[in-house]
Amino acid sequence: MDLRIVKTKRSIRSAFLRLLEQKPLEQITVTELARQAEINKGTFYLHYRDIYQLADQLQTKVLQEILQEIPHTDEILLHPSQLTATLFSSFHRHQKEIDLLFSGSQTAVLPIKIEQQLKSFLHQRFPQAKDDVKFHVYLSYSIQGGYYAYLENHKEFGFEQVVKAIGEIAPCFAPIWSAPENQTT
């Protein structure tokens, strides 16, 4: 990729994150972002359709980075408590980015995007699970439930205790989790 494009996109992303520190996504305009990034509006539109596409790309990127931190071994993927602990630890390391990119109206987008990205990630490891309804329901239930359980309890009980509790509950679903590996399509 052309170095000028790389620098321009980096400038846009940096300006966008600075603006997110000051105001919600819905209040950020392309004009304001272009001024912060020291580009013109036309340059912004060469790379992004709108502010929401930029936000979506940055959200997806941070989630992909988090998932890449998971060791690529079947061992961890087949043990829900280990996977839960690894995921939460990775999210915790990226907390500042997550807080910025998924603030305000974007809070509800986080578990949806986590689910999409995790399913995509796991389908690469377990392609036979792609059409397995139990596998999909399990992931939805675990991700959505784990996310909201964490949100509701981490302030009162702390990060480590809540993650430990979620990890202890996760093995209850181990037979469903490991099923895709043993199934034939």
Side-chain angles (χ1 to χ4, degrees):
M1 185 183 289
D2 186 330
L3 187 56
R4 291 173 296 179
I5 293 172
V6 171
K7 287 180 177 182
T8 298
K9 284 188 164 190
R10 186 180 314 132
S11 177
I12 291 169
R13 287 190 301 265
S14 295
F16 181 66
L17 292 174
R18 283 192 308 272
L19 288 169
L20 276 177
E21 289 176 344
Q22 301 167 12
K23 58 174 72 178
L25 174 66
E26 298 77 21
Q27 292 180 9
I28 298 173
T29 66
V30 172
T31 301
E32 178 180 38
L33 178 61
R35 194 175 329 111
Q36 272 277 336
E38 298 180 339
I39 60 169
N40 63 49
K41 284 173 46 174
T43 302
F44 174 86
Y45 288 117
L46 284 174
H47 302 287
Y48 304 99
R49 181 179 58 251
D50 56 26
I51 293 287
Y52 295 97
Q53 183 186 35
L54 171 60
D56 180 67
Q57 285 183 14
L58 292 176
Q59 290 168 343
T60 299
K61 182 178 179 261
V62 74
L63 293 178
Q64 287 172 341
E65 288 172 3
I66 288 168
L67 291 176
Q68 287 173 358
E69 292 178 11
I70 297 173
H72 292 277
T73 64
D74 290 348
E75 182 68 26
I76 196 165
L77 296 175
L78 294 174
H79 291 88
S81 58
Q82 286 180 295
L83 181 59
T84 299
T86 302
L87 273 173
F88 272 97
S89 294
S90 187
F91 273 94
H92 197 60
R93 283 190 296 278
H94 292 269
Q95 195 65 55
K96 184 179 179 198
E97 294 166 280
I98 290 169
D99 287 347
L100 275 176
L101 292 169
F102 294 97
S103 62
S105 67
Q106 297 298 297
T107 302
V109 174
L110 180 57
I112 294 166
K113 281 193 160 285
I114 292 170
E115 184 175 345
Q116 291 169 345
Q117 292 300 314
L118 189 57
K119 280 182 179 180
S120 175
F121 176 79
L122 291 172
H123 287 157
Q124 291 173 11
R125 301 293 296 164
F126 304 109
Q128 65 275 26
K130 205 169 200 161
D131 298 321
D132 183 341
V133 67
K134 284 185 179 179
F135 192 70
H136 283 265
V137 169
Y138 165 73
L139 285 174
S140 296
Y141 188 81
S142 299
I143 293 162
Q144 302 287 337
Y147 173 77
Y148 287 105
Y150 174 78
L151 260 182
E152 288 296 316
N153 295 286
H154 80 281
K155 288 180 182 166
E156 183 176 349
F157 298 105
F159 173 80
E160 289 176 13
Q161 278 191 295
V162 173
V163 171
K164 182 180 179 204
I166 293 170
E168 288 172 357
I169 293 167
C172 297
F173 301 102
I176 293 171
W177 183 261
S178 60
E181 181 183 47
N182 302 321
Q183 291 180 350
T184 57
T185 54

